[in-house]
Amino acid sequence: MNRFSLAVSTAIARVTGSPLGPYQSAVIRIGFSLTWLLFLLREFPHRAELYGPDGPWSWELARQLIDGNGAFTVVMWSDGRLWFEAVYALAVLASALLLVGWRTRTMSVLFMVGVLSLQNRSVFVGDGGDNVLHLMSIYLVFTRCARVWSLDARRARRADEACARGERVTDRVGPVLWAVLGGVLVAATATGRMDGEWGVPALLWAAWAVQGLWWAVGRLTELAQPRVLLDVVANILHNGALLVIMAEACLIYATAGWYKIQGSRWQDGTAVYYPLHLDYFSPWPALGDLLSASGTMVMLVTYGTVLVQVAFPFTLFNRRVKNVLLVAMMTEHAVIAVVLGLPFFSLAMIATDAVFLPTPFLRRVGAWAARAREAMRTPGGGSGPERSAPPTPEDAEPRRVGFSA
């Protein structure tokens, strides 16, 4: 009983004491924001046909569907072209700012609004990766995904250094951004734009209120207990969201694998062979012909895909086997991106897989990137003067509670 109590106490302390997986959450933040940003930029010339007033799925048809399913989209607040362009531009801007980790808490909410608004406007546009992105944009709101590899993390380090020198640090951008977005929420609610919906609007109001409370506790009170309580709640939400993302990835692969087992198309190899010869999925016909020319290759790809997808959820407790299958799945998605011409589906799935990447590997990648950046900044390509590495989230002391963490 003592061992059980100790294990429970240790687990509770670990879940509430700090946000787990800071590097993994940063990677999925970068991965999903980059995927959506690249998609929006590539489809920029066709934006009006996909999500705007020139599309075959008209505004009236979309209005009827949304009235029936209660989906959230700000695009439907007006049928004007100017409003659509403003929403599309906001989605691009929020994706770019979330990618670099600027005001991440606010940008994660705006990123979610952009994803839901455009996708719910035209639900028949997508290749499968849009469903993953749709869900992950909601989960990202609950994560503390800017602890590393973000402008917020760099700004927090500089603020801590300034505080250590006895300097006063004032954040003016955060309160202004909070007030402006609060005004938008009030106006949208007062004009009835959110009538008939409760899920996403409630989340928007909750995020706005919590952000204001977070700033007020960090700036207007000297008591430590409220700050600790907010950190504990934020850590629980972050760790819970990270667990949901992992469970979502396992569910995607498990269901896909088991359905493939039951299908005759995957048993005889035609599920891999025929897509390689469809014009819609053949950006490189010669490459598709080369892969499908060998029956052995088709068999290995077919049964290897099923085996990896079915086995992956059962290998999470074996680090070595899990890492091998993780590399296999990422490689498979990279091949799909090139051979079948589905880059954004593959990017979304690779970003999902990244939640399982080992921390030591990600830290080494971060160190390599830091050295490469320093080498580029140093004239002549030298290594430059030695600099101390920034503290990692595992080693750093609890920081001030502010708008950006």
Side-chain angles (χ1 to χ4, degrees), residues 212-345:
L213 178 63
W214 193 278
W215 179 85
V217 169
R219 292 295 189 272
L220 305 180
T221 179
E222 298 297 329
L223 299 177
Q225 289 84 355
R227 303 182 187 184
V228 173
L229 177 60
L230 287 179
D231 259 330
V232 168
V233 173
N235 292 338
I236 293 175
L237 290 175
H238 166 89
N239 295 330
L242 210 60
L243 179 62
V244 170
I245 292 174
M246 297 171 69
E248 187 76 37
C250 291
L251 183 62
I252 290 172
Y253 285 119
T255 54
W258 285 107
Y259 274 111
K260 286 180 174 67
I261 288 177
Q262 301 174 48
S264 60
R265 301 294 184 184
W266 282 90
Q267 295 173 9
D268 58 21
T270 54
V272 172
Y273 179 84
Y274 283 116
L276 295 174
H277 296 276
L278 294 176
D279 293 338
Y280 186 79
F281 295 109
S282 300
W284 315 100
L287 183 58
D289 293 340
L290 178 63
L291 292 176
S292 61
S294 172
T296 302
M297 178 63 69
V298 172
M299 182 193 69
L300 290 176
V301 172
T302 301
Y303 286 93
T305 299
V306 175
L307 177 63
V308 168
Q309 291 183 348
V310 172
F312 181 74
F314 301 100
T315 64
L316 296 182
F317 298 101
N318 188 311
R319 184 181 61 184
R320 293 182 178 178
V321 178
K322 182 263 294 183
N323 290 340
V324 171
L325 293 186
L326 192 61
V327 172
M329 290 193 303
M330 288 185 169
T331 303
E332 175 190 356
H333 289 306
V335 172
I336 290 174
V338 176
V339 177
L340 298 182
L342 297 172
F344 301 110
F345 166 78

Side-chain angles (χ1 to χ4, degrees), residues 16-65:
T16 60
S18 63
L20 304 177
Y23 293 95
Q24 288 81 358
S25 58
V27 169
I28 61 176
R29 182 200 86 230
I30 295 170
F32 285 113
S33 58
L34 179 63
T35 300
W36 185 237
L37 177 63
L38 292 178
F39 175 80
L40 293 179
L41 293 178
R42 191 195 73 169
E43 300 298 342
F44 186 81
H46 315 290
R47 63 193 182 280
E49 289 81 7
L50 291 176
Y51 302 112
D54 299 337
W57 189 248
S58 68
W59 194 89
E60 286 299 331
L61 290 175
R63 179 78 273 167
Q64 295 177 24
L65 179 62

Side-chain angles (χ1 to χ4, degrees), residues 151-181:
L151 296 180
D152 284 347
R154 185 179 67 175
R155 180 159 48 84
R157 287 196 301 269
R158 292 179 176 177
D160 289 341
E161 293 171 357
C163 290
R165 295 191 299 267
E167 301 176 4
R168 182 179 178 84
V169 179
T170 303
D171 180 17
R172 295 184 177 87
V173 177
V176 171
L177 193 60
W178 179 81
V180 170
L181 294 178

